[in-house]
Amino acid sequence: MERRGRHRRYHNARAGSCGSTGAGRWPRITVAVTSAGLVLPGLGLAAPASASLAGSGADAGAWHCSAGAHTLAPPGSHLYPDTGNGGYTSLHTLVHLVYNATANQFLPGNGVTFTDRATQCLTSLSLDFERKSNNTKAGPDMTVQSVTVNGRPATFAFVQPTYPGDPHGQNDPNPAAHEASQTSPVGGPHHNPLPPACSPELASTKVPPNSLNGTQCPANKLVITPSAPVRSGSQFTVAVSYTGRPGVHNDGDGTTEGWFRAPDGGFVTTEPVGSEDWMPLNDFPAAKPTYNFSDTVTAGRAVIANGVLLSTKRNPASAEFPGGSVTWNWLSRAPIASYLVENSVGKYNLTERTADNGTQYYEAQDTGISAARRAKNRAIMNMQQNITEFESQFNGTFPFTSDGVVVGTPNASFEEEMQTMITFAGGRTNTDTLYHENMHQWWGDNVTESDYNLTFYKEGLATLAEFLYHARLAEDANGGPYSAKGQAAFQASLVKSFNQSYAAGGTFWTVAPSNPEPVGLFSGSSTYARPGIGYIALRQILGHVNFTQALEQLQRTYGGSHVTEPELEAVFQQWLPVPTSSCHARLQEFFTQWWDTAYPAGGHKHRPQLTGPGLAGPGFYNSHGGCS
Ligand SMILES: [Zn+2]
């Protein structure tokens, strides 16, 4: 994600091919749509799945059945501790919207079907779904009509979240166990010593960030009780039917994300938690099911989603759609993290182009954007293949079979790396941000952070992509990538980027990147510039070839899944060129300084004291190239 207006813009990028991408990791498959629903060859999934309910009575007792956890956040967390759901693994999600784009309403028949695998015997399980909000204007107003588990009716209820790790259990009757806060403990007017159960939903960016600390969390946990327990290890389906108006989520920093109303439909951009404002889901980055979208919408509207477009079909006039409707089918065989699910609907002009290596590039723009502006946007979007090939030199093969951009008209406060379909808000694109969001396709999308605390890891690499872009401009201005002068200019630009930010004082170093509060998660230097220049230092410490080897190994090892901070550090340690115990210890100290330390304000002495060869600061190796 990148907040608007944080960066200078560069309009003079040059086209030119550097390297090439190989075939994507996820082979294309065909999907048959039958009267029984979508059938997914190769995934081993069909909807509905065969029933796998556990037996009742004595059998159920023998499996020690219990309720699934209502959170995936670690104990004590103060970053969206309300999100995620335990007791099962999310495998596949079929989104089946029935959407009146004129009225901005989900109609009867609208719903989502989840295919999950139980990791325990479940008496109940939960999803995240903010069906109503205090934001009565742009927030959601939806109603759940019914829930089934393996095709059988299930009961459901909405409950408040409970702080992760509550020893009294997730039905703790103590109201203090269900309070919002930016911080842990909650604090607030009643000095609640417990951790928060959710992050505050601030009404605007003008509201004091801590003003909701100590208030009750909304009941956004959808708890589903099947007619009989779900056996541990079994694959099962949950279908949720719902109607009403999707909307936006008010975040802990006062901005909004989710389903933005557009004049002719909706524009979906959702980081970090706004997906639950238009669909129920397991709303946690590490939960990554594959996706099918089969949306029926008002005739004349396009659906823009993740993956590849399989088909569109016009439907005759009906009671719900007197002017007719159209059904769009998209498929993402690659798993998608919770905040990267794209499903915009509107009057989009969609084009599709297949590159030489088979990667499909989509470009979608709202037709309400002026023709002149659309032409400018198109010129930038047309660079995406070139940018992808440039970034592949550092990251390895592009991980998906498709890539794309959708430009919507609503004024969201940020652009976002939706998987294979980057969102630009406000009707405009820019090149700097396209480098940033496209880099996320490897970092955040293919290799996802294990929880919100690790947001800096992928934002730092996306910020590095902007530094690499500036370096590329300098290289092109000095003879190009195949000249010694161009290569020197490339490196000098990266050194300059490092040295400029490393000199920062003020509050630049005062938040540990791995321990932010919701209010600063997507605006602070701790999430963007600090980890961004930290990667430049790491590239100098490891050497340029080894740094790329480490990035490629991370893609190979964790692609399609998620990564933790110790796992990241271990891979970079493997590519340390001086593998002595003292150098390994120093690199560990480097990570502690750059990722995990909050310094007093001011900079200078109060900033990381390990940098890298050729950079400002004390460097890393001693005069003999060692670390003792
Ligand atoms: Zn970003």
Side-chain angles (χ1 to χ4, degrees), residues 302-346:
V303 175
I304 310 297
N306 314 91
V308 293
L309 177 62
L310 301 175
S311 66
T312 60
K313 178 172 162 280
R314 285 188 197 180
N315 309 307
S318 63
E320 293 88 359
F321 296 103
S325 63
V326 57
T327 301
W328 290 68
N329 289 299
W330 290 79
L331 167 71
S332 172
R333 183 148 191 209
I336 306 175
S338 54
Y339 63 92
L340 301 170
V341 181
E342 177 55 29
N343 195 335
S344 292
V345 182

Side-chain angles (χ1 to χ4, degrees), residues 87-264:
Y88 64 91
T89 304
S90 300
L91 300 178
H92 183 73
T93 300
L94 168 61
V95 176
H96 178 63
L97 300 188
V98 181
Y99 177 66
N100 181 328
T102 309
N104 193 32
Q105 290 281 323
F106 295 141
L107 304 177
N110 182 85
V112 181
T113 301
F114 307 90
T115 302
D116 303 324
R117 180 175 295 115
T119 54
Q120 65 179 72
C121 180
L122 288 163
T123 53
S124 67
L125 64 136
S126 55
L127 290 164
D128 302 290
F129 192 36
E130 184 166 62
R131 78 237 187 263
K132 289 192 195 315
S133 154
N134 286 336
N135 183 345
T136 54
K137 190 157 174 274
D141 184 8
M142 299 180 285
T143 304
V144 174
Q145 304 293 341
S146 65
V147 179
T148 64
V149 175
N150 286 330
R152 301 180 195 183
T155 60
F156 61 91
F158 283 92
V159 305
Q160 287 180 286
T162 307
Y163 75 86
D166 186 344
H168 301 293
Q170 54 195 11
N171 299 316
D172 190 340
N174 179 4
H178 312 283
E179 291 184 352
S181 182
Q182 298 276 353
T183 59
S184 181
V186 167
H190 304 295
H191 305 287
N192 179 355
L194 300 174
C198 69
S199 291
E201 298 190 23
L202 300 178
S204 80
T205 53
K206 299 184 178 76
V207 173
N210 291 309
S211 59
L212 291 183
N213 292 4
T215 59
Q216 288 290 307
C217 294
N220 291 345
K221 304 301 297 192
L222 171 57
V223 178
I224 296 162
T225 304
S227 57
V230 177
R231 196 179 60 210
S232 180
S234 67
Q235 187 173 302
F236 65 101
T237 60
V238 176
V240 180
S241 299
Y242 60 102
T243 56
R245 183 189 74 195
V248 296
H249 179 85
N250 282 77
D251 218 306
D253 60 6
T255 64
T256 53
E257 80 257 2
W259 185 290
F260 290 85
R261 180 65 167 134
D264 46 20

Side-chain angles (χ1 to χ4, degrees), residues 1-2 417 436-437 440 458-459 462 528:
M1 180 201 279
E2 182 159 279
E417 64 270 24
H436 177 111
E437 310 301 350
H440 274 309
K458 54 111 177 174
E459 294 302 342
Y528 294 91

